[in-house]
Amino acid sequence: MPLDNLFSDETTTPENQQKKLYEQFGVLSNPFPSAGQTSGHPHMPTAADQKVDAAVKTFYRDRKSHVMAITATQGIGKTNLLNAYEIALREKLSARGFFIIRYIPDPEPSFDPLIKLIFESLGEDYLRHSINKLAAEPNQKVSESLRTAEVKQILQALLQAKQKSEEQLNSRLFLVHQWFMGLPVRKKHQDELGVYFRLDTVESKTRALRDIVYFGAEIGTLQGIFLLLDELEKQGSSLSKTFVLRYLSALRALIDALPRYLFLMTALTTDALERYKEMLPALRGRLAHEVQLLPLRNEADAVGLWKFYLQQAQDEASHFTRDKGWKSEKTILVNEQDARDIFNRSLKVSTIQGVRQREYLHRLHDKANSVFSVQSKNKSSS
């Protein structure tokens, strides 16, 4: 039967396998991600990172909303870049009042799931913290920053509940969350919050979101929102033009509703960006800041990527084994000439001007696996 002998030898335990790899190659696993591994691997900074860094620093300084379009064909590294910034932003800014929200849309005719995700990411704790601070430090400017009567009403209802008890506040926060999610308005919502109509359209939810963001910004519980929107090209892949236009219009409305406190970084293919701009000219100006990612164009690019992933794996292994006493021969797993040869072979069959990073890394992955296999057979025969 398949796999009958897979676990028959104690040397097949994960740690023993890691030790074998480290002793010979100075790594714990294959340094290069396969084509199917879209996350969980390192990100090598490029010129695009410098542009994103500059935009993030500007947003951090003035809180004026910023929209960036990260573009490239498939397999160049858009998702990898967004993954890296999601991690870095959470590490550096989430404790400073910034909310980092990652969204990968399915091809769906509604913008509603994205609005709901933003409300859920802010969450009841955000409103609780905000109401507690407002109760402790009354701010007359808060009311001036709000545009919708319903949001003014629910905030007033929450303040009144805060004055009564934490239990009452928690009960009303739960009702408010239901209201933001667009659930039907029941008698309890009417009695406790004073709202009589549900948020049943993307437009009404966008207006309410705008007020909740400006409310937090006014009292200092929210500094900004980073919305990382990946694979936006999916919206145009299977939906009718009517649905795509509706989705893009809702995205434009979200951008326009928040001239401050929103940093939107969306990743999509270059073709999709041009197609969307033609479909909705009003979106052209909103997505004017385009940052293009480029494929590997020459051997120097390829060697740089090979060296980066190999060094990252060696550094990780060195840190992991620091207290284990393992010794390594540090045989080069995939050498530089192999990396050059793999790039040149890939270039010959490439359908673009250059080589996709995903394809190149996958071939390095296969090469490393073949080296592992050969070495394992050699050890067994000896």
Side-chain angles (χ1 to χ4, degrees):
M1 293 291 290
L3 306 184
D4 273 351
N5 299 317
L6 181 60
F7 305 107
S8 61
D9 187 348
E10 290 184 357
T11 61
T12 60
T13 65
E15 184 166 349
N16 282 333
Q17 290 296 313
Q18 288 178 332
K19 185 177 181 182
K20 282 184 176 182
L21 291 179
Y22 182 75
E23 287 176 342
Q24 186 156 11
F25 301 108
V27 299
L28 301 173
S29 61
N30 195 319
F32 311 106
S34 68
Q37 185 184 346
T38 58
S39 62
H41 54 88
H43 169 70
M44 186 177 79
T46 66
D49 292 70
Q50 298 175 11
K51 296 177 181 179
V52 177
D53 285 352
V56 170
K57 289 176 182 177
T58 299
F59 176 68
Y60 182 81
R61 183 174 63 247
D62 61 23
R63 304 298 194 272
K64 293 180 181 178
S65 291
H66 199 96
V67 181
M68 299 187 75
I70 309 298
T71 63
T73 58
Q74 295 288 355
I76 305 299
K78 301 184 300 296
T79 295
N80 181 255
L81 185 142
L82 259 62
N83 286 344
Y85 274 92
E86 178 186 9
I87 294 170
L89 290 169
R90 289 190 191 282
E91 179 183 330
K92 297 179 183 298
L93 294 179
S94 60
R96 301 188 182 188
F98 289 88
F99 292 82
I100 293 84
I101 303 170
R102 179 70 178 278
Y103 184 66
I104 302 178
D106 289 324
E108 52 196 358
S110 175
F111 193 74
D112 191 61
L114 176 56
I115 294 291
K116 284 185 176 180
L117 176 65
I118 299 174
F119 277 124
E120 289 176 347
S121 298
L122 294 175
E124 292 182 30
D125 286 342
Y126 162 66
L127 276 181
R128 181 183 293 104
H129 181 38
S130 300
I131 289 297
N132 287 339
K133 186 168 183 180
L134 183 60
E137 305 171 15
N139 186 336
Q140 297 298 325
K141 292 184 179 180
V142 168
S143 181
E144 299 173 6
S145 69
L146 305 179
R147 295 179 179 174
T148 56
E150 291 88 351
V151 173
K152 290 181 180 180
Q153 179 59 41
I154 66 170
L155 293 179
Q156 186 61 37
L158 291 175
L159 273 175
Q160 293 171 354
K162 168 65 179 174
Q163 295 169 356
K164 294 179 180 179
S165 68
E166 286 298 316
E167 182 180 356
Q168 180 77 9
L169 176 61
N170 290 336
S171 174
R172 289 189 177 179
L173 282 168
F174 178 73
L175 294 175
V176 169
H177 180 71
Q178 290 182 325
W179 186 71
F180 281 138
M181 290 296 103
L183 296 178
V185 172
R186 309 296 186 189
K187 188 174 187 302
K188 196 169 183 64
H189 297 87
Q190 298 172 3
D191 295 342
E192 294 287 330
L193 303 180
V195 293
Y196 296 88
F197 303 99
R198 66 183 292 191
L199 289 180
D200 57 356
T201 66
V202 171
E203 292 77 12
S204 62
K205 289 177 183 175
T206 300
R207 289 193 295 269
L209 175 63
R210 180 264 174 209
D211 275 5
I212 288 301
V213 168
Y214 272 69
F215 164 57
E218 184 62 46
I219 62 175
T221 54
L222 179 146
Q223 297 299 323
I225 294 174
F226 286 90
L227 179 56
L228 310 182
L229 182 58
D230 201 1
E231 299 183 10
L232 189 59
E233 67 272 4
K234 283 184 175 181
Q235 296 308 311
S237 63
S238 60
L239 300 178
S240 70
K241 184 177 180 179
T242 299
F243 284 131
V244 175
L245 277 172
R246 189 178 301 165
Y247 193 96
L248 296 176
S249 296
L251 181 62
R252 185 199 67 176
L254 175 65
I255 295 169
D256 291 350
L258 293 170
R260 294 177 61 83
Y261 312 118
L262 174 66
F263 189 103
L264 171 62
M265 182 158 59
T266 181
L268 69 168
T269 61
T270 308
D271 291 344
L273 177 61
E274 293 307 313
R275 185 167 64 252
Y276 291 163
K277 286 179 177 180
E278 291 180 5
M279 293 175 67
L280 187 66
L283 196 62
R284 186 178 300 274
R286 278 78 171 179
L287 296 178
H289 190 174
E290 179 182 359
V291 176
Q292 290 187 324
L293 304 184
L294 300 174
L296 302 172
R297 295 160 296 182
N298 49 52
E299 284 189 10
D301 289 345
V303 168
L305 191 62
W306 159 80
K307 186 179 297 183
F308 173 79
Y309 272 84
L310 190 58
Q311 186 64 55
Q312 289 288 312
Q314 291 171 343
D315 290 346
E316 179 187 356
S318 178
H319 178 76
F320 179 81
T321 61
R322 185 175 300 164
D323 300 323
K324 292 182 177 293
W326 296 356
K327 302 297 182 182
S328 175
E329 299 175 7
K330 292 189 177 178
T331 302
I332 299 298
L333 178 61
V334 178
N335 62 45
E336 182 174 332
Q337 188 56 52
D338 287 334
R340 292 178 184 273
D341 292 343
I342 289 171
F343 169 77
N344 288 316
R345 288 197 298 271
S346 301
L347 187 61
K348 289 180 180 179
V349 298
S350 176
T351 58
I352 63 172
Q353 293 184 342
V355 175
R356 291 180 172 87
Q357 283 85 340
R358 181 191 299 167
E359 295 175 0
Y360 177 66
L361 289 169
H362 184 79
R363 289 185 169 94
L364 289 175
H365 176 88
D366 285 348
K367 176 64 176 179
N369 276 348
S370 69
V371 174
F372 290 155
S373 178
V374 168
Q375 294 299 325
S376 178
K377 290 179 180 177
N378 290 342
K379 288 280 187 181
S380 298
S381 61
S382 61

